[in-house]
Amino acid sequence: MSVSERVALLVGAGDAIGAAVARRFARGGFTVCVARREAAKSLQLREELKAAGHAFHAYSVDARQEEDVRQLFARVENDVGPIEICLFNAGSNVNKPILETSEKLFLKAWELACYAGFLVGREAAGYMVPRGRGTILFTGATASLRGGKGFAAFSAAKFGLRAVAQSMARELGPKGVHVVHLIIDAGVDSAAIHERLKASGVDLATVKPDSLTKTSSIADAYWFAHQQSRDGWTHELDLRPGVETW
């Protein structure tokens, strides 16, 4: 197998934000490696990108398991090439009243959105720091900034991930590694959000244009951050539609 010079590893890359980031970085000349619980779910994306002439690889991983994460990075580095971009995009948007939030639910939310982010970020840093370059991207949310009603578990996880990203940025920036935390303070224009809106009684025909943030806009923000010169790095960006109150 030939070794690629520009590799983007996207962990927790589903069919919405993850797929959009995969498309954007593929267009930018990267070999894209997508890792999620079930690699088979990336089949459609693989066919799409390969049909467009882009190199693509899919892996199965449980990002909450340290050894799984280590093996993932080793496989990509050995079989595909040096990882220049690493995105951590996993998380579970849990909405439960505090009295219905079990220990198991709280721990699962934290493991998926915070602990797994630490494992992925640390492993990426282990490869990037010796090379003196690389970009590590973390996807945040409104819950990264404030704990809303019913979001104790999710907010705790997202607050924690933000702290991990911030600490990494301060430590790794001087070593040449750019750490970015992107706060998506909005509903994302995706199938999952559409279903959630319909379930709550919202007629999608009444949703105002540009009131949901497009996944392509999120991908463009990540691309912008990666392209920044070292003398002007951004650590944290927040995205929201113009109609969003904040």
Side-chain angles (χ1 to χ4, degrees), residues 64 92 94 101-116 152-154 156-157:
R64 301 168 298 176
S92 177
V94 179
T101 301
S102 66
E103 175 192 20
K104 184 176 181 179
L105 185 150
F106 188 93
L107 183 59
K108 182 178 179 180
W110 173 80
E111 282 185 325
L112 188 58
C114 183
Y115 176 62
F154 186 59

Side-chain angles (χ1 to χ4, degrees), residues 65-204:
Q65 301 299 320
E66 184 176 44
E67 190 56 32
D68 275 20
V69 172
R70 285 179 172 166
Q71 289 180 12
L72 169 67
F73 275 81
R75 287 182 65 189
V76 174
E77 286 274 334
N78 293 333
D79 299 342
V80 184
I83 299 165
E84 183 177 337
I85 305 289
C86 179
L87 167 69
F88 178 76
N89 188 63
S92 177
N93 193 345
V94 179
N95 182 0
K96 281 280 188 181
I98 192 66
L99 296 181
E100 297 176 22
T101 301
S102 66
E103 175 192 20
K104 184 176 181 179
L105 185 150
F106 188 93
L107 183 59
K108 182 178 179 180
W110 173 80
E111 282 185 325
L112 188 58
C114 183
Y115 176 62
F118 154 72
L119 291 177
V120 170
R122 185 188 64 181
E123 202 66 19
Y127 287 96
M128 293 177 180
V129 168
R131 294 194 282 256
R133 69 181 189 278
T135 303
I136 303 174
L137 310 169
F138 292 98
T139 300
T142 304
S144 304
L145 301 177
R146 58 183 181 271
K149 177 183 176 182
F151 288 98
F154 186 59
S155 295
K158 282 299 191 180
F159 264 67
L161 181 66
R162 187 186 186 209
V164 169
Q166 203 173 94
S167 295
M168 286 180 59
R170 291 188 168 108
E171 181 177 347
L172 302 183
K175 299 178 181 180
V177 178
H178 187 188
V179 180
V180 180
H181 183 243
L182 182 64
I183 298 171
I184 304 172
D185 184 25
V188 177
D189 192 0
S190 64
I193 293 297
H194 293 173
E195 288 301 317
R196 195 176 303 167
L197 289 173
K198 286 195 292 185
S200 64
V202 174
D203 180 357
L204 294 180

